[in-house]
Amino acid sequence: LKKNDVKATFFLIGNQIDKDTKKIIKRMKNEGHQIGVHTYCHEPECIYNSADTYYSDVLKTEILITKYTDSPAVIYRFPYGSNNAYIKGYRKKIIKRLAEHGLEYCDWNVSGEDAIGKPSAKSIINNIKKNYNVYDNPVILLHDSNSQKETVKALPEIIKMYKEDGYSFDVIK
């Protein structure tokens, strides 16, 4: 990202935020990236029991993000998207309650499908290309983790492809 002068939005899982990741989180913030909430545990049977359990899980992560960045998160992303089957009955309640707390949700519309199995860089790029020209404002979902190195390998080509077509990159606000 830095090499290509691209800013991104990172949605963090709270139980992965600790003293070892503190330096990385501060670097993200200092380099101009947006930090958002994904959840604390990312386990559907825990977070999606009710609107209250989801709300508590998100706030637990938001507190950690504030602690490590000195500024509160302003966005969050639902695990499995905002229209997942887990939250059908109380989706609007969650969105309203978190908005009252100052958090807006964000969805993606283009996925690299890099969290499914063990995809290669080429397959991640091909997944992005499936919806490449479908949206005027593509929001691309990619994942970063120690176990998934192929996304990092695919990223330069994805960035190049979009930049050559006149797109610019920005954080989600």
Side-chain angles (χ1 to χ4, degrees):
L1 296 172
K2 189 174 185 177
K3 185 177 179 180
N4 287 285
D5 193 30
V6 168
K7 304 299 179 224
T9 302
F10 292 89
F11 292 93
L12 304 184
I13 298 172
N15 67 12
Q16 296 176 358
I17 299 172
D18 58 26
K19 61 182 172 105
D20 295 329
T21 58
K22 179 181 179 178
K23 187 177 177 180
I24 295 167
I25 294 167
K26 284 191 179 261
R27 178 180 160 204
M28 288 175 185
K29 190 70 173 177
N30 291 339
E31 290 182 4
H33 301 292
Q34 179 73 273
I35 311 265
V37 175
H38 196 29
T39 59
Y40 186 83
C41 72
H42 203 283
E43 296 173 18
E45 62 277 359
C46 294
I47 60 174
Y48 289 139
N49 279 332
S50 68
D52 288 338
T53 58
Y54 186 78
Y55 182 78
S56 296
D57 195 81
V58 166
L59 291 188
K60 192 174 181 180
T61 304
E62 196 257 345
I63 289 167
L64 285 171
I65 290 170
T66 302
K67 177 182 174 182
Y68 287 114
T69 65
D70 296 322
S71 59
V74 294
I75 57 172
Y76 66 99
R77 181 171 75 77
F78 287 97
Y80 318 106
S82 69
N83 286 314
N84 71 65
Y86 298 108
I87 59 170
K88 258 187 171 165
Y90 50 84
R91 177 183 178 272
K92 289 180 182 177
K93 182 178 179 181
I94 290 172
I95 292 169
K96 182 177 187 255
R97 190 169 176 193
L98 286 170
E100 289 168 354
H101 184 77
L103 287 162
E104 296 294 328
Y105 80 96
C106 172
D107 272 327
W108 69 93
N109 52 24
V110 177
S111 177
E113 297 180 32
D114 59 338
I116 302 167
K118 295 195 180 275
S120 66
K122 184 176 181 171
S123 68
I124 294 168
I125 293 164
N126 286 337
N127 288 330
I128 297 291
K129 286 180 178 179
K130 286 180 198 173
N131 289 310
Y132 179 72
N133 289 318
V134 175
Y135 302 98
D136 291 334
N137 295 301
V139 178
I140 303 167
L141 175 66
L142 294 171
H143 296 80
D144 64 325
S145 70
N146 286 331
S147 62
Q148 176 50 285
K149 307 290 185 203
E150 295 299 303
T151 301
V152 174
K153 290 178 188 174
L155 204 49
E157 188 171 331
I158 294 167
I159 292 169
K160 180 181 176 193
M161 180 174 66
Y162 276 97
K163 280 188 170 185
E164 284 179 350
D165 220 16
Y167 285 90
S168 60
F169 291 81
D170 202 354
V171 299
I172 300 169
K173 300 173 185 170

